[in-house]
Amino acid sequence: MAEREGLLIDQAYEEVKKYKDIVQQDPYRLSYHLMPPVGLLNDPNGLIQYKGVYHVFYQWNPFETAHGAKFWGHYSSMDMVHWKEDPIALAPIEWYEISGCYSGSALESDGKLYLFYTGNVKLEDGIRETYQCLAVSSDGIHFEKKGPILRLPEGYTAHFRDPKVWKKNGRWYMIIGAQTLSEKGAAVLFTSNDLYHWDELGPIAGSGMNGLENFGYMWECPDLIQLNGKDILLVSPQGLEAEGYLYNNLFQSGYFIGKLDYEAVQFQHGSFTELDRGFDFYAPQTFTDESGRTILYGWMGITDESEPYQPTIRNKWLHALTIPRELEFRNDTVFQKPVEELKKLRTDELSMENGNHTSLDGVCTAELILDFVQFGEGIFEVNFRHEAYLRYDSLKKEISLHRRNVKDEQMEKRVCCIDSLSKLHIFMDHSSLEIFINDGQEVFTARYFPTPNVKTISFNGNVVFTLKKWNLESD
Ligand code: FRU
């Protein structure tokens, strides 16, 4: 490691050490989600199971609870439940990444772990440069930077980033999030047979393409996956206008279902569906593990005007990743379900038949499953620690999550339509909610900040359900 890089990494660890106690004592620190040891975390990066071990890298600014020159922080695990903090994987020190080692992905080839990421450069005159870079490891811990492997092609601004790489029919493919010179978001495809030399194939989707009208000024974090024979493009477009209940967050994350013709470089696809209906979900990434499951992590946060008001900032840390979710495709919908391994966290099972108006105390880090046996007309509500509530209106067929906004302290809501409500699967952590509706047909993800000693959850409405509840303890 170059001396300069060593110094920068030492400075990051100094920050971790300096604020460790203050970070750890925060009542809003989560119990079983991945968080930064100090500073700001954003996108999940480089997700992979390599030589049996699960690796999660993440965008990390160790020096501030604000965005800046990102590092790649690193956690690893045998089971996606018990995590070890690994040494910093990438620190922004070289000329081609000096303003940040931005998002990217991982793959294995010839027993080595390859990381593809965006080298972000902001020059003093406000000009940006972008380089797609490679770093290689033989042990999954120490990475050797190989420098840029792809320059900015013609036709795009320097908002060109977040390479996701995969193999198909013996060739490598890379998809990159882009902005065209006319400021339209796009996803651009490249190919290679050695991982070092990349040829441009062209954009496969974007604002104004394939029948899409105006669809954002920039597309971030594209990810192309296959589920049940369909090609599904996950992407995080920026610049969509809210339309009724849709696109109510500042930025969106969702997917297009279609078929990618690799020869003709054409992706016929349908309309865009948001992956999450809550407040805090952005820049998701997937990987396929050794058992063949497609697993997604998202950033349980977003860059918007309330970001600087998050209460954890006073304790020197900000944001977390979602729990890992297995993706399944049925009825033209991507379903998300918490991975099986999370059952290991369960303790103190409580079960209840014929639940209706009920309240439970001491519920803070918990998993709950409600199966509805009977549903009367009207409103059913779950109140979370007097700080957020989920409401289902069986007449309007709408489900909504309400929580207090950290900036203006007013209640705010996100809504989506469902035909019926048969099941709720809820993961609560000290300051987060992840609510899976009807086996993951829809998901609401949100941070919320209840008074720490208020731990009551209550259910109200003209319904009958069976309830199972566990406390979740991560040792
Ligand atoms: C998405 C994003 C990516 C970028 C990274 C920088 O949240 O803006 O496009 O690579 O974050 O941290």
Side-chain angles (χ1 to χ4, degrees):
M1 187 191 297
E3 200 185 321
R4 285 176 312 124
E5 187 174 12
L7 285 174
L8 182 61
I9 288 176
D10 286 349
Q11 281 172 17
Y13 286 129
E14 278 301 311
E15 291 290 299
V16 175
K17 216 164 88 190
K18 188 161 148 201
Y19 295 114
K20 191 167 184 238
D21 294 342
I22 181 167
V23 167
Q24 294 302 338
Q25 59 72 44
D26 186 346
Y28 295 131
R29 197 79 178 149
L30 299 167
S31 148
Y32 56 90
H33 286 85
L34 291 174
M35 297 165 289
V38 69
L40 174 146
L41 161 153
N42 56 303
D43 313 355
N45 291 156
L47 305 178
I48 192 167
Q49 188 178 15
Y50 170 67
K51 298 183 178 165
V53 180
Y54 289 97
H55 294 263
V56 170
F57 302 84
Y58 61 91
Q59 287 287 285
W60 182 30
N61 183 358
F63 301 119
E64 276 178 298
T65 44
H67 295 270
K70 301 287 166 60
F71 289 57
W72 275 38
H74 187 188
Y75 287 107
S76 66
S77 169
M78 293 306 294
D79 59 4
M80 293 186 281
V81 174
H82 304 95
W83 292 93
K84 171 161 103 37
E85 198 178 323
D86 283 329
I88 288 168
L90 302 173
I93 196 74
E94 303 297 337
W95 66 269
Y96 50 78
E97 56 181 23
I98 197 71
S99 314
C101 298
Y102 273 15
S103 287
S105 57
L107 60 86
E108 180 177 353
S109 179
D110 304 326
K112 296 202 176 90
L113 177 53
Y114 289 72
L115 299 183
F116 290 87
Y117 65 100
T118 299
N120 182 47
V121 178
K122 287 180 188 161
L123 303 171
E124 267 159 27
D125 47 13
I127 293 178
R128 261 176 189 261
E129 291 174 356
T130 178
Y131 301 92
Q132 311 317 310
C133 306
L134 174 62
V136 183
S137 170
S138 317
D139 60 5
I141 307 257
H142 305 95
F143 291 87
E144 189 188 331
K145 287 181 184 165
K146 304 285 186 189
I149 43 88
L150 182 68
R151 303 280 170 137
L152 178 64
E154 275 178 22
Y156 301 97
T157 73
H159 289 286
F160 189 85
R161 54 179 172 260
D162 312 333
K164 176 85 199 283
V165 182
W166 71 100
K167 197 177 207 171
K168 174 88 181 174
N169 300 333
R171 284 194 71 82
W172 296 104
Y173 292 89
M174 177 189 284
I175 190 136
I176 297 187
Q179 177 179 65
T180 65
L181 291 178
S182 50
E183 299 194 2
K184 291 182 182 323
V188 190
L189 190 64
F190 294 80
T191 188
S192 169
N193 51 23
D194 64 2
L195 295 171
Y196 285 81
H197 303 91
W198 290 88
D199 295 322
E200 184 180 355
L201 293 174
I204 60 159
S207 178
M209 287 181 67
N210 308 334
L212 264 189
E213 296 187 348
N214 280 345
F215 215 77
Y217 58 81
M218 168 64 190
W219 283 16
E220 297 190 310
C221 302
D223 187 354
L224 195 99
I225 59 174
Q226 257 206 341
L227 291 173
N228 285 8
K230 298 281 187 194
D231 294 313
I232 299 173
L233 176 66
L234 273 53
V235 71
S236 297
Q238 298 185 312
L240 304 189
E241 296 284 329
E243 265 179 58
Y245 296 149
L246 298 179
Y247 318 148
N248 280 207
N249 296 335
L250 179 60
F251 304 137
Q252 277 59 51
S253 293
Y255 61 90
F256 297 99
I257 305 165
K259 187 82 205 144
L260 177 61
D261 182 335
Y262 283 80
E263 297 296 310
V265 192
Q266 274 189 0
F267 181 53
Q268 303 284 348
H269 63 74
S271 56
F272 182 76
T273 306
E274 284 177 85
L275 267 166
D276 198 279
R277 306 294 176 176
F279 300 89
D280 298 289
F281 182 88
Y282 193 62
Q285 187 181 99
T286 70
F287 69 109
T288 307
D289 80 346
E290 287 167 5
S291 72
R293 292 176 296 176
T294 301
I295 296 168
L296 173 146
Y297 277 89
W299 169 24
M300 194 156 55
I302 191 159
T303 311
D304 63 11
E305 54 164 19
S306 24
E307 190 182 38
Y309 298 86
Q310 297 268 335
T312 64
I313 289 179
R314 67 175 98 93
N315 289 320
K316 300 287 180 192
W317 71 282
L318 182 57
H319 298 313
L321 299 183
T322 65
I323 52 171
R325 305 165 179 187
E326 183 180 351
L327 299 186
E328 285 172 355
F329 184 74
R330 38 181 202 278
N331 306 335
D332 276 339
T333 305
V334 174
F335 282 71
Q336 301 177 55
K337 68 171 190 199
V339 299
E340 284 289 308
E341 285 87 336
L342 294 170
K343 289 182 179 162
K344 289 189 188 178
L345 294 167
R346 291 175 173 176
T347 63
D348 310 323
E349 178 170 321
L350 175 130
S351 52
M352 192 192 283
E353 299 288 327
N354 299 322
N356 45 30
H357 294 265
T358 307
S359 85
L360 302 167
D361 280 325
V363 187
C364 176
T365 56
E367 177 185 352
L368 298 108
I369 299 180
L370 278 80
D371 275 299
F372 295 95
V373 184
Q374 209 180 301
F375 226 112
E377 281 188 352
I379 308 281
F380 170 67
E381 247 178 44
V382 185
N383 186 302
F384 298 99
R385 304 176 62 195
H386 296 309
E387 195 61 26
Y389 58 95
L390 182 80
R391 167 186 288 217
Y392 177 60
D393 183 328
S394 64
L395 288 174
K396 289 194 187 154
K397 298 193 180 298
E398 285 178 1
I399 190 154
S400 51
L401 180 67
H402 306 242
R403 67 131 192 222
R404 197 176 302 285
N405 181 285
V406 288
K407 183 178 174 198
D408 62 19
E409 301 193 345
Q410 301 302 307
M411 293 303 282
E412 56 181 346
K413 67 174 176 180
R414 293 289 180 270
V415 187
C416 84
C417 300
I418 49 171
D419 277 345
S420 62
L421 179 60
S422 55
K423 186 172 171 184
L424 288 175
H425 192 174
I426 301 170
F427 281 77
M428 298 169 63
D429 206 331
H430 292 275
S431 58
S432 72
L433 293 169
E434 285 162 282
I435 303 173
F436 299 81
I437 292 151
N438 297 346
D439 288 312
Q441 174 194 344
E442 302 288 356
V443 188
F444 283 89
T445 303
R447 298 297 300 281
Y448 78 134
F449 300 95
T451 307
N453 58 9
V454 175
K455 297 182 180 174
T456 310
I457 171 170
S458 55
F459 307 94
N460 279 296
N462 185 12
V463 294
V464 181
F465 54 85
T466 63
L467 171 74
K468 275 196 188 297
K469 175 180 102 48
W470 298 266
N471 288 332
L472 299 182
E473 294 296 337
S474 66
D475 42 38

mmCIF file of all heavy atoms in Angstrom, residues 49 52-55 76-84 287 289 293 295 297 324 339-345 475:
data_model
loop_
_atom_site.group_PDB
_atom_site.id
_atom_site.type_symbol
_atom_site.label_atom_id
_atom_site.label_comp_id
_atom_site.label_asym_id
_atom_site.label_seq_id
_atom_site.Cartn_x
_atom_site.Cartn_y
_atom_site.Cartn_z
ATOM 1 N N GLN A 49 -21.046 -13.515 -2.762
ATOM 2 C CA GLN A 49 -20.591 -14.620 -1.910
ATOM 3 C C GLN A 49 -19.346 -15.166 -2.595
ATOM 4 O O GLN A 49 -19.420 -15.706 -3.700
ATOM 5 C CB GLN A 49 -21.671 -15.702 -1.763
ATOM 6 C CG GLN A 49 -21.284 -16.745 -0.733
ATOM 7 C CD GLN A 49 -22.347 -17.821 -0.528
ATOM 8 O OE1 GLN A 49 -23.271 -17.969 -1.332
ATOM 9 N NE2 GLN A 49 -22.199 -18.595 0.538
ATOM 10 N N GLY A 52 -17.486 -18.913 -0.366
ATOM 11 C CA GLY A 52 -18.398 -19.257 0.740
ATOM 12 C C GLY A 52 -18.750 -18.103 1.649
ATOM 13 O O GLY A 52 -19.703 -18.195 2.416
ATOM 14 N N VAL A 53 -18.009 -17.000 1.579
ATOM 15 C CA VAL A 53 -18.224 -15.896 2.520
ATOM 16 C C VAL A 53 -19.036 -14.783 1.863
ATOM 17 O O VAL A 53 -18.755 -14.396 0.727
ATOM 18 C CB VAL A 53 -16.855 -15.328 2.992
ATOM 19 C CG1 VAL A 53 -17.054 -14.175 3.971
ATOM 20 C CG2 VAL A 53 -15.999 -16.426 3.606
ATOM 21 N N TYR A 54 -20.022 -14.278 2.575
ATOM 22 C CA TYR A 54 -20.792 -13.136 2.073
ATOM 23 C C TYR A 54 -20.027 -11.842 2.339
ATOM 24 O O TYR A 54 -19.533 -11.626 3.450
ATOM 25 C CB TYR A 54 -22.155 -13.050 2.785
ATOM 26 C CG TYR A 54 -23.088 -14.159 2.375
ATOM 27 C CD1 TYR A 54 -23.220 -15.314 3.144
ATOM 28 C CD2 TYR A 54 -23.848 -14.059 1.213
ATOM 29 C CE1 TYR A 54 -24.088 -16.342 2.762
ATOM 30 C CE2 TYR A 54 -24.706 -15.078 0.819
ATOM 31 C CZ TYR A 54 -24.824 -16.215 1.597
ATOM 32 O OH TYR A 54 -25.672 -17.230 1.207
ATOM 33 N N HIS A 55 -19.925 -11.011 1.301
ATOM 34 C CA HIS A 55 -19.262 -9.714 1.438
ATOM 35 C C HIS A 55 -20.245 -8.603 1.118
ATOM 36 O O HIS A 55 -20.929 -8.653 0.089
ATOM 37 C CB HIS A 55 -18.087 -9.594 0.468
ATOM 38 C CG HIS A 55 -16.974 -10.540 0.781
ATOM 39 N ND1 HIS A 55 -15.864 -10.169 1.514
ATOM 40 C CD2 HIS A 55 -16.815 -11.854 0.488
ATOM 41 C CE1 HIS A 55 -15.062 -11.216 1.647
ATOM 42 N NE2 HIS A 55 -15.613 -12.251 1.036
ATOM 43 N N SER A 76 -18.054 -8.716 6.314
ATOM 44 C CA SER A 76 -18.201 -10.070 5.769
ATOM 45 C C SER A 76 -18.879 -10.972 6.791
ATOM 46 O O SER A 76 -18.892 -10.682 7.990
ATOM 47 C CB SER A 76 -16.853 -10.635 5.336
ATOM 48 O OG SER A 76 -16.026 -10.814 6.461
ATOM 49 N N SER A 77 -19.421 -12.068 6.263
ATOM 50 C CA SER A 77 -20.266 -12.912 7.108
ATOM 51 C C SER A 77 -20.373 -14.304 6.504
ATOM 52 O O SER A 77 -20.300 -14.475 5.290
ATOM 53 C CB SER A 77 -21.658 -12.278 7.155
ATOM 54 O OG SER A 77 -22.596 -13.140 7.741
ATOM 55 N N MET A 78 -20.605 -15.299 7.341
ATOM 56 C CA MET A 78 -20.876 -16.642 6.818
ATOM 57 C C MET A 78 -22.368 -16.850 6.567
ATOM 58 O O MET A 78 -22.766 -17.785 5.886
ATOM 59 C CB MET A 78 -20.399 -17.720 7.817
ATOM 60 C CG MET A 78 -18.894 -17.798 7.999
ATOM 61 S SD MET A 78 -18.005 -17.989 6.437
ATOM 62 C CE MET A 78 -18.561 -19.628 5.921
ATOM 63 N N ASP A 79 -23.204 -15.991 7.163
ATOM 64 C CA ASP A 79 -24.640 -16.273 7.128
ATOM 65 C C ASP A 79 -25.543 -15.049 6.921
ATOM 66 O O ASP A 79 -26.767 -15.169 7.050
ATOM 67 C CB ASP A 79 -25.055 -16.991 8.420
ATOM 68 C CG ASP A 79 -24.739 -16.162 9.662
ATOM 69 O OD1 ASP A 79 -24.272 -14.997 9.509
ATOM 70 O OD2 ASP A 79 -24.952 -16.656 10.776
ATOM 71 N N MET A 80 -24.967 -13.893 6.639
ATOM 72 C CA MET A 80 -25.729 -12.644 6.483
ATOM 73 C C MET A 80 -26.443 -12.236 7.784
ATOM 74 O O MET A 80 -27.349 -11.414 7.764
ATOM 75 C CB MET A 80 -26.754 -12.729 5.333
ATOM 76 C CG MET A 80 -26.101 -12.838 3.973
ATOM 77 S SD MET A 80 -27.311 -12.763 2.635
ATOM 78 C CE MET A 80 -27.932 -14.435 2.677
ATOM 79 N N VAL A 81 -26.027 -12.829 8.898
ATOM 80 C CA VAL A 81 -26.623 -12.470 10.195
ATOM 81 C C VAL A 81 -25.528 -11.980 11.141
ATOM 82 O O VAL A 81 -25.663 -10.936 11.766
ATOM 83 C CB VAL A 81 -27.355 -13.683 10.821
ATOM 84 C CG1 VAL A 81 -27.854 -13.353 12.233
ATOM 85 C CG2 VAL A 81 -28.521 -14.101 9.931
ATOM 86 N N HIS A 82 -24.446 -12.738 11.241
ATOM 87 C CA HIS A 82 -23.329 -12.354 12.103
ATOM 88 C C HIS A 82 -22.238 -11.768 11.220
ATOM 89 O O HIS A 82 -21.720 -12.459 10.342
ATOM 90 C CB HIS A 82 -22.804 -13.568 12.867
ATOM 91 C CG HIS A 82 -23.889 -14.246 13.655
ATOM 92 N ND1 HIS A 82 -24.585 -15.324 13.172
ATOM 93 C CD2 HIS A 82 -24.424 -13.943 14.846
ATOM 94 C CE1 HIS A 82 -25.513 -15.671 14.063
ATOM 95 N NE2 HIS A 82 -25.428 -14.854 15.092
ATOM 96 N N TRP A 83 -21.879 -10.515 11.484
ATOM 97 C CA TRP A 83 -20.966 -9.804 10.587
ATOM 98 C C TRP A 83 -19.658 -9.457 11.251
ATOM 99 O O TRP A 83 -19.597 -9.201 12.456
ATOM 100 C CB TRP A 83 -21.624 -8.505 10.090
ATOM 101 C CG TRP A 83 -22.786 -8.783 9.185
ATOM 102 C CD1 TRP A 83 -24.096 -8.890 9.554
ATOM 103 C CD2 TRP A 83 -22.736 -9.033 7.775
ATOM 104 N NE1 TRP A 83 -24.869 -9.171 8.449
ATOM 105 C CE2 TRP A 83 -24.066 -9.267 7.351
ATOM 106 C CE3 TRP A 83 -21.700 -9.073 6.826
ATOM 107 C CZ2 TRP A 83 -24.389 -9.540 6.020
ATOM 108 C CZ3 TRP A 83 -22.020 -9.343 5.507
ATOM 109 C CH2 TRP A 83 -23.346 -9.580 5.117
ATOM 110 N N LYS A 84 -18.620 -9.415 10.457
ATOM 111 C CA LYS A 84 -17.290 -9.017 10.918
ATOM 112 C C LYS A 84 -16.931 -7.760 10.135
ATOM 113 O O LYS A 84 -17.192 -7.682 8.927
ATOM 114 C CB LYS A 84 -16.343 -10.164 10.569
ATOM 115 C CG LYS A 84 -14.875 -9.914 10.749
ATOM 116 C CD LYS A 84 -14.162 -11.244 10.822
ATOM 117 C CE LYS A 84 -13.416 -11.665 9.573
ATOM 118 N NZ LYS A 84 -12.703 -10.813 8.713
ATOM 119 N N PHE A 287 -27.207 -9.653 -5.804
ATOM 120 C CA PHE A 287 -26.197 -10.632 -6.192
ATOM 121 C C PHE A 287 -26.847 -11.999 -6.133
ATOM 122 O O PHE A 287 -27.893 -12.169 -5.499
ATOM 123 C CB PHE A 287 -24.967 -10.575 -5.276
ATOM 124 C CG PHE A 287 -25.218 -11.061 -3.868
ATOM 125 C CD1 PHE A 287 -24.687 -12.270 -3.419
ATOM 126 C CD2 PHE A 287 -25.984 -10.307 -2.994
ATOM 127 C CE1 PHE A 287 -24.921 -12.718 -2.125
ATOM 128 C CE2 PHE A 287 -26.221 -10.749 -1.691
ATOM 129 C CZ PHE A 287 -25.684 -11.948 -1.259
ATOM 130 N N ASP A 289 -26.287 -15.749 -4.849
ATOM 131 C CA ASP A 289 -25.372 -16.450 -3.943
ATOM 132 C C ASP A 289 -25.165 -17.886 -4.398
ATOM 133 O O ASP A 289 -25.701 -18.312 -5.431
ATOM 134 C CB ASP A 289 -25.830 -16.324 -2.482
ATOM 135 C CG ASP A 289 -26.942 -17.301 -2.128
ATOM 136 O OD1 ASP A 289 -27.552 -17.890 -3.050
ATOM 137 O OD2 ASP A 289 -27.198 -17.470 -0.927
ATOM 138 N N ARG A 293 -29.875 -18.094 -4.989
ATOM 139 C CA ARG A 293 -30.864 -17.054 -4.668
ATOM 140 C C ARG A 293 -30.394 -15.687 -5.168
ATOM 141 O O ARG A 293 -29.206 -15.377 -5.109
ATOM 142 C CB ARG A 293 -31.043 -16.946 -3.145
ATOM 143 C CG ARG A 293 -31.690 -18.140 -2.522
ATOM 144 C CD ARG A 293 -31.732 -17.985 -1.004
ATOM 145 N NE ARG A 293 -30.396 -17.937 -0.401
ATOM 146 C CZ ARG A 293 -30.159 -17.737 0.886
ATOM 147 N NH1 ARG A 293 -31.173 -17.530 1.711
ATOM 148 N NH2 ARG A 293 -28.932 -17.745 1.362
ATOM 149 N N ILE A 295 -30.356 -12.005 -4.126
ATOM 150 C CA ILE A 295 -30.532 -11.316 -2.844
ATOM 151 C C ILE A 295 -30.261 -9.829 -3.030
ATOM 152 O O ILE A 295 -29.312 -9.438 -3.716
ATOM 153 C CB ILE A 295 -29.590 -11.934 -1.791
ATOM 154 C CG1 ILE A 295 -30.003 -13.386 -1.564
ATOM 155 C CG2 ILE A 295 -29.632 -11.143 -0.475
ATOM 156 C CD1 ILE A 295 -29.021 -14.210 -0.775
ATOM 157 N N TYR A 297 -29.816 -5.953 -1.275
ATOM 158 C CA TYR A 297 -29.676 -4.993 -0.181
ATOM 159 C C TYR A 297 -29.977 -3.614 -0.751
ATOM 160 O O TYR A 297 -29.571 -3.303 -1.877
ATOM 161 C CB TYR A 297 -28.237 -4.939 0.339
ATOM 162 C CG TYR A 297 -27.872 -6.012 1.332
ATOM 163 C CD1 TYR A 297 -27.372 -7.230 0.897
ATOM 164 C CD2 TYR A 297 -27.997 -5.793 2.696
ATOM 165 C CE1 TYR A 297 -27.010 -8.218 1.804
ATOM 166 C CE2 TYR A 297 -27.637 -6.771 3.612
ATOM 167 C CZ TYR A 297 -27.149 -7.973 3.165
ATOM 168 O OH TYR A 297 -26.800 -8.935 4.070
ATOM 169 N N PRO A 324 -31.185 -8.138 4.259
ATOM 170 C CA PRO A 324 -31.115 -8.814 2.954
ATOM 171 C C PRO A 324 -32.474 -9.423 2.589
ATOM 172 O O PRO A 324 -33.144 -10.003 3.441
ATOM 173 C CB PRO A 324 -30.070 -9.912 3.175
ATOM 174 C CG PRO A 324 -29.973 -10.093 4.659
ATOM 175 C CD PRO A 324 -30.382 -8.798 5.287
ATOM 176 N N VAL A 339 -34.461 -12.884 3.941
ATOM 177 C CA VAL A 339 -33.793 -14.183 3.761
ATOM 178 C C VAL A 339 -34.023 -15.058 4.993
ATOM 179 O O VAL A 339 -34.123 -14.567 6.127
ATOM 180 C CB VAL A 339 -32.274 -14.046 3.472
ATOM 181 C CG1 VAL A 339 -32.018 -13.275 2.185
ATOM 182 C CG2 VAL A 339 -31.527 -13.424 4.641
ATOM 183 N N GLU A 340 -34.089 -16.375 4.731
ATOM 184 C CA GLU A 340 -34.322 -17.390 5.778
ATOM 185 C C GLU A 340 -33.394 -17.243 6.978
ATOM 186 O O GLU A 340 -33.778 -17.470 8.115
ATOM 187 C CB GLU A 340 -34.019 -18.777 5.175
ATOM 188 C CG GLU A 340 -35.056 -19.315 4.255
ATOM 189 C CD GLU A 340 -36.297 -19.717 5.022
ATOM 190 O OE1 GLU A 340 -36.171 -20.468 6.007
ATOM 191 O OE2 GLU A 340 -37.359 -19.230 4.633
ATOM 192 N N GLU A 341 -32.137 -16.891 6.677
ATOM 193 C CA GLU A 341 -31.120 -16.855 7.736
ATOM 194 C C GLU A 341 -31.509 -15.932 8.886
ATOM 195 O O GLU A 341 -31.066 -16.122 10.017
ATOM 196 C CB GLU A 341 -29.774 -16.372 7.161
ATOM 197 C CG GLU A 341 -29.029 -17.382 6.318
ATOM 198 C CD GLU A 341 -29.437 -17.363 4.844
ATOM 199 O OE1 GLU A 341 -30.564 -16.928 4.514
ATOM 200 O OE2 GLU A 341 -28.614 -17.821 4.023
ATOM 201 N N LEU A 342 -32.359 -14.929 8.593
ATOM 202 C CA LEU A 342 -32.715 -13.968 9.650
ATOM 203 C C LEU A 342 -33.484 -14.630 10.793
ATOM 204 O O LEU A 342 -33.574 -14.080 11.889
ATOM 205 C CB LEU A 342 -33.521 -12.802 9.058
ATOM 206 C CG LEU A 342 -32.729 -11.914 8.087
ATOM 207 C CD1 LEU A 342 -33.665 -10.955 7.360
ATOM 208 C CD2 LEU A 342 -31.648 -11.126 8.814
ATOM 209 N N LYS A 343 -34.011 -15.839 10.531
ATOM 210 C CA LYS A 343 -34.705 -16.575 11.604
ATOM 211 C C LYS A 343 -33.771 -16.856 12.777
ATOM 212 O O LYS A 343 -34.216 -17.063 13.898
ATOM 213 C CB LYS A 343 -35.263 -17.891 11.070
ATOM 214 C CG LYS A 343 -36.436 -17.684 10.127
ATOM 215 C CD LYS A 343 -37.013 -18.996 9.652
ATOM 216 C CE LYS A 343 -38.201 -18.751 8.721
ATOM 217 N NZ LYS A 343 -38.529 -19.922 7.924
ATOM 218 N N LYS A 344 -32.458 -16.867 12.486
ATOM 219 C CA LYS A 344 -31.487 -17.115 13.568
ATOM 220 C C LYS A 344 -31.531 -16.049 14.647
ATOM 221 O O LYS A 344 -31.030 -16.245 15.746
ATOM 222 C CB LYS A 344 -30.064 -17.112 12.994
ATOM 223 C CG LYS A 344 -29.714 -18.281 12.148
ATOM 224 C CD LYS A 344 -28.217 -18.203 11.886
ATOM 225 C CE LYS A 344 -27.771 -19.227 10.887
ATOM 226 N NZ LYS A 344 -26.339 -19.099 10.609
ATOM 227 N N LEU A 345 -32.050 -14.878 14.301
ATOM 228 C CA LEU A 345 -32.090 -13.782 15.277
ATOM 229 C C LEU A 345 -33.242 -13.939 16.265
ATOM 230 O O LEU A 345 -33.307 -13.249 17.284
ATOM 231 C CB LEU A 345 -32.289 -12.439 14.549
ATOM 232 C CG LEU A 345 -31.191 -11.933 13.633
ATOM 233 C CD1 LEU A 345 -31.718 -10.782 12.776
ATOM 234 C CD2 LEU A 345 -30.002 -11.455 14.447
ATOM 235 N N ASP A 475 -26.239 -10.945 18.762
ATOM 236 C CA ASP A 475 -25.377 -11.045 19.956
ATOM 237 C C ASP A 475 -24.275 -10.022 20.036
ATOM 238 O O ASP A 475 -24.047 -9.208 19.182
ATOM 239 C CB ASP A 475 -24.753 -12.414 20.007
ATOM 240 C CG ASP A 475 -24.290 -12.880 18.644
ATOM 241 O OD1 ASP A 475 -23.772 -12.068 17.850
ATOM 242 O OD2 ASP A 475 -24.509 -14.037 18.361
#
